[in-house]
Amino acid sequence: MTIANGRGDLYCTKALDPRDPGQAAEMAVVTGSLGPHRDSRVPAAAEGGAPDSWRRRCPPVVAAVLVGLMFVEGARQGAFWRGDAFVVAAASVAASVFLIATVNLDRRSRFVVGSLVLLVVWWLVRSIGAGTASTFLPMGASILGCLAAFLTIRALDTDQRKMAALALVGLGSAGAVIGFIGLIFRWYPMAMPSQSLWRLSTTLTYADAAGLVLAVCLLMALGSSSRHWLLRVSIFLCTGGLLATQSRGPLLALACACALVPKRQYARNLVPLGGGIGLGVVAVLTSGSTGPVPWLGVALIVGAAISLVRVPDEWVHLPRRRNVVAFVAVIACLAVASFALLRHQIDVRALSPSNGDRAVEWRTGVDQFKSSPVIGVGPDRILQFDAVDGTYAHFVHNEYLQIAADTGTVGLAILLMSVVSMARVVRRVDAATSCAVAALVCCAVAAAFDFDFHLPLVGLIVGWTAGAATRRKTCD
């Protein structure tokens, strides 16, 4: 029998018969009329367990600390450099140990924790074994950040998770604003030229990573039940910012994840989504200009004002078929118009020289894996090759291949175990969890095209979305 309290927490109980006086009293305890639920399998403070007040108060405090850490490291290039990565690693270890000691995890969550711990330990072992212990960072910090964020969000109640999701959306919105300022004034490196096109890169100073973060934040914003005007502006900014990065990997990942977003969320946010697409089109259309682009600033202000318009509730609740037809028609019209306007920019990005470079990097990564298929060659070994644009690279631009080459079949098996355990714990029970699962899928797809997970900020975000995609449950 499963009973929910006012915060949306789910408690598992045995089958109870209300006609039996003793069992009826037990039901009353569970539902809260005689006090808070207390599962017999959870030890009380007197028996050595953490007090109930600690279990309730600790996760929100840790979540607030991690939010602050994400904003700080987001402003410092995603904690890519080793000093910042060490800070993320140390904070994540402290948070993880503290939460494991104070929060009771269900069986499936323990599998997630165990697999991530095993992965980070093997990454450390291979770093030391290869004689390059310093290469544990930044990827090791990213894995630890994922673990800490998952534990934190997993332990929050429903209302606290809503606030945590909005904090992540705020992170993306702040990055988008900074990136658009960089685009308007051609402020390097908040915006960066590539193939003679200026692309939004935010404080991460890497357009592809910025695109992934904005895609995840957009999906999390779509899952919110809030109708506040700030949320609509955030959706507008994240949509426009994602397009302004001109990053193919995140756009493809978002396309794969969109099917998991409830259709009603699209109808509810049709105005900011349309405005964001318009802003992104203007950003891409003007990306070939070398000087400041004041018209992009005008589009940003006008689009933000338009996004304040709220879709009437009766429109949201139109028959499903009419909603789908209207949405598909709008998207089709926007796609045709965008392709006609952006033909040159699309050709430049589609035929980018980096396509050939990445194919060479992937082949070299496969060769590295073949040279040591069991335990790998060690983290982040330089890739030596002969390509048009260079002779070496630091990363394979495919995190799965990177882990296979660096840690061998052993590391790949542990990674697969982590993915499977995480897939078993996530659930699509409402709009919030559905969009969180979509964000997780977006991260998984994007990992096949870049090295974004080498930014510990991205690891924190992945753990954040994974925790948000789980159903609140306090027993096995």
PDB file of all heavy atoms in Angstrom, residues 239-251:
ATOM      1  N   THR A 239      16.035  29.220 -25.063  1.00  0.00           N
ATOM      2  CA  THR A 239      15.778  28.811 -26.442  1.00  0.00           C
ATOM      3  C   THR A 239      16.628  29.621 -27.414  1.00  0.00           C
ATOM      4  O   THR A 239      17.301  29.066 -28.295  1.00  0.00           O
ATOM      5  CB  THR A 239      14.289  28.985 -26.788  1.00  0.00           C
ATOM      6  OG1 THR A 239      13.492  28.254 -25.848  1.00  0.00           O
ATOM      7  CG2 THR A 239      13.992  28.491 -28.190  1.00  0.00           C
ATOM      8  N   GLY A 240      16.588  30.944 -27.259  1.00  0.00           N
ATOM      9  CA  GLY A 240      17.386  31.795 -28.131  1.00  0.00           C
ATOM     10  C   GLY A 240      18.871  31.561 -27.969  1.00  0.00           C
ATOM     11  O   GLY A 240      19.626  31.522 -28.951  1.00  0.00           O
ATOM     12  N   GLY A 241      19.314  31.382 -26.729  1.00  0.00           N
ATOM     13  CA  GLY A 241      20.736  31.142 -26.481  1.00  0.00           C
ATOM     14  C   GLY A 241      21.222  29.844 -27.082  1.00  0.00           C
ATOM     15  O   GLY A 241      22.324  29.776 -27.642  1.00  0.00           O
ATOM     16  N   LEU A 242      20.408  28.787 -26.983  1.00  0.00           N
ATOM     17  CA  LEU A 242      20.788  27.504 -27.570  1.00  0.00           C
ATOM     18  C   LEU A 242      20.994  27.636 -29.076  1.00  0.00           C
ATOM     19  O   LEU A 242      22.000  27.153 -29.618  1.00  0.00           O
ATOM     20  CB  LEU A 242      19.711  26.471 -27.269  1.00  0.00           C
ATOM     21  CG  LEU A 242      19.831  25.127 -27.993  1.00  0.00           C
ATOM     22  CD1 LEU A 242      21.146  24.445 -27.638  1.00  0.00           C
ATOM     23  CD2 LEU A 242      18.652  24.228 -27.648  1.00  0.00           C
ATOM     24  N   LEU A 243      20.078  28.287 -29.756  1.00  0.00           N
ATOM     25  CA  LEU A 243      20.229  28.473 -31.202  1.00  0.00           C
ATOM     26  C   LEU A 243      21.432  29.359 -31.521  1.00  0.00           C
ATOM     27  O   LEU A 243      22.128  29.137 -32.518  1.00  0.00           O
ATOM     28  CB  LEU A 243      18.957  29.080 -31.784  1.00  0.00           C
ATOM     29  CG  LEU A 243      17.712  28.184 -31.747  1.00  0.00           C
ATOM     30  CD1 LEU A 243      16.499  28.957 -32.241  1.00  0.00           C
ATOM     31  CD2 LEU A 243      17.924  26.935 -32.585  1.00  0.00           C
ATOM     32  N   ALA A 244      21.694  30.360 -30.680  1.00  0.00           N
ATOM     33  CA  ALA A 244      22.804  31.278 -30.932  1.00  0.00           C
ATOM     34  C   ALA A 244      24.162  30.607 -30.761  1.00  0.00           C
ATOM     35  O   ALA A 244      25.165  31.099 -31.295  1.00  0.00           O
ATOM     36  CB  ALA A 244      22.705  32.488 -30.010  1.00  0.00           C
ATOM     37  N   THR A 245      24.223  29.488 -30.032  1.00  0.00           N
ATOM     38  CA  THR A 245      25.500  28.764 -29.938  1.00  0.00           C
ATOM     39  C   THR A 245      25.860  28.078 -31.256  1.00  0.00           C
ATOM     40  O   THR A 245      27.029  27.764 -31.482  1.00  0.00           O
ATOM     41  CB  THR A 245      25.456  27.694 -28.835  1.00  0.00           C
ATOM     42  OG1 THR A 245      24.477  26.706 -29.163  1.00  0.00           O
ATOM     43  CG2 THR A 245      25.138  28.321 -27.485  1.00  0.00           C
ATOM     44  N   GLN A 246      24.847  27.816 -32.088  1.00  0.00           N
ATOM     45  CA  GLN A 246      25.047  27.122 -33.367  1.00  0.00           C
ATOM     46  C   GLN A 246      25.774  25.784 -33.159  1.00  0.00           C
ATOM     47  O   GLN A 246      26.618  25.386 -33.980  1.00  0.00           O
ATOM     48  CB  GLN A 246      25.801  28.001 -34.357  1.00  0.00           C
ATOM     49  CG  GLN A 246      25.127  29.347 -34.623  1.00  0.00           C
ATOM     50  CD  GLN A 246      25.830  30.166 -35.682  1.00  0.00           C
ATOM     51  OE1 GLN A 246      26.154  29.666 -36.756  1.00  0.00           O
ATOM     52  NE2 GLN A 246      26.077  31.448 -35.387  1.00  0.00           N
ATOM     53  N   SER A 247      25.462  25.117 -32.084  1.00  0.00           N
ATOM     54  CA  SER A 247      26.115  23.855 -31.737  1.00  0.00           C
ATOM     55  C   SER A 247      25.252  22.694 -32.211  1.00  0.00           C
ATOM     56  O   SER A 247      24.112  22.537 -31.771  1.00  0.00           O
ATOM     57  CB  SER A 247      26.326  23.764 -30.216  1.00  0.00           C
ATOM     58  OG  SER A 247      27.148  24.822 -29.765  1.00  0.00           O
ATOM     59  N   ARG A 248      25.806  21.886 -33.076  1.00  0.00           N
ATOM     60  CA  ARG A 248      25.030  20.818 -33.699  1.00  0.00           C
ATOM     61  C   ARG A 248      24.719  19.688 -32.724  1.00  0.00           C
ATOM     62  O   ARG A 248      23.604  19.143 -32.733  1.00  0.00           O
ATOM     63  CB  ARG A 248      25.782  20.278 -34.913  1.00  0.00           C
ATOM     64  CG  ARG A 248      25.955  21.287 -36.035  1.00  0.00           C
ATOM     65  CD  ARG A 248      27.118  20.945 -36.940  1.00  0.00           C
ATOM     66  NE  ARG A 248      28.399  20.974 -36.233  1.00  0.00           N
ATOM     67  CZ  ARG A 248      29.560  20.693 -36.791  1.00  0.00           C
ATOM     68  NH1 ARG A 248      29.614  20.354 -38.066  1.00  0.00           N
ATOM     69  NH2 ARG A 248      30.680  20.745 -36.090  1.00  0.00           N
ATOM     70  N   GLY A 249      25.684  19.314 -31.888  1.00  0.00           N
ATOM     71  CA  GLY A 249      25.477  18.217 -30.951  1.00  0.00           C
ATOM     72  C   GLY A 249      24.324  18.473 -29.987  1.00  0.00           C
ATOM     73  O   GLY A 249      23.411  17.643 -29.863  1.00  0.00           O
ATOM     74  N   PRO A 250      24.330  19.591 -29.250  1.00  0.00           N
ATOM     75  CA  PRO A 250      23.207  19.887 -28.352  1.00  0.00           C
ATOM     76  C   PRO A 250      21.864  20.005 -29.062  1.00  0.00           C
ATOM     77  O   PRO A 250      20.835  19.601 -28.513  1.00  0.00           O
ATOM     78  CB  PRO A 250      23.627  21.215 -27.713  1.00  0.00           C
ATOM     79  CG  PRO A 250      25.105  21.211 -27.764  1.00  0.00           C
ATOM     80  CD  PRO A 250      25.456  20.524 -29.049  1.00  0.00           C
ATOM     81  N   LEU A 251      21.852  20.560 -30.271  1.00  0.00           N
ATOM     82  CA  LEU A 251      20.587  20.666 -31.002  1.00  0.00           C
ATOM     83  C   LEU A 251      20.052  19.279 -31.354  1.00  0.00           C
ATOM     84  O   LEU A 251      18.850  19.021 -31.233  1.00  0.00           O
ATOM     85  CB  LEU A 251      20.783  21.506 -32.265  1.00  0.00           C
ATOM     86  CG  LEU A 251      20.941  23.011 -32.040  1.00  0.00           C
ATOM     87  CD1 LEU A 251      21.356  23.700 -33.332  1.00  0.00           C
ATOM     88  CD2 LEU A 251      19.635  23.619 -31.519  1.00  0.00           C
TER      89      LEU A 251
END
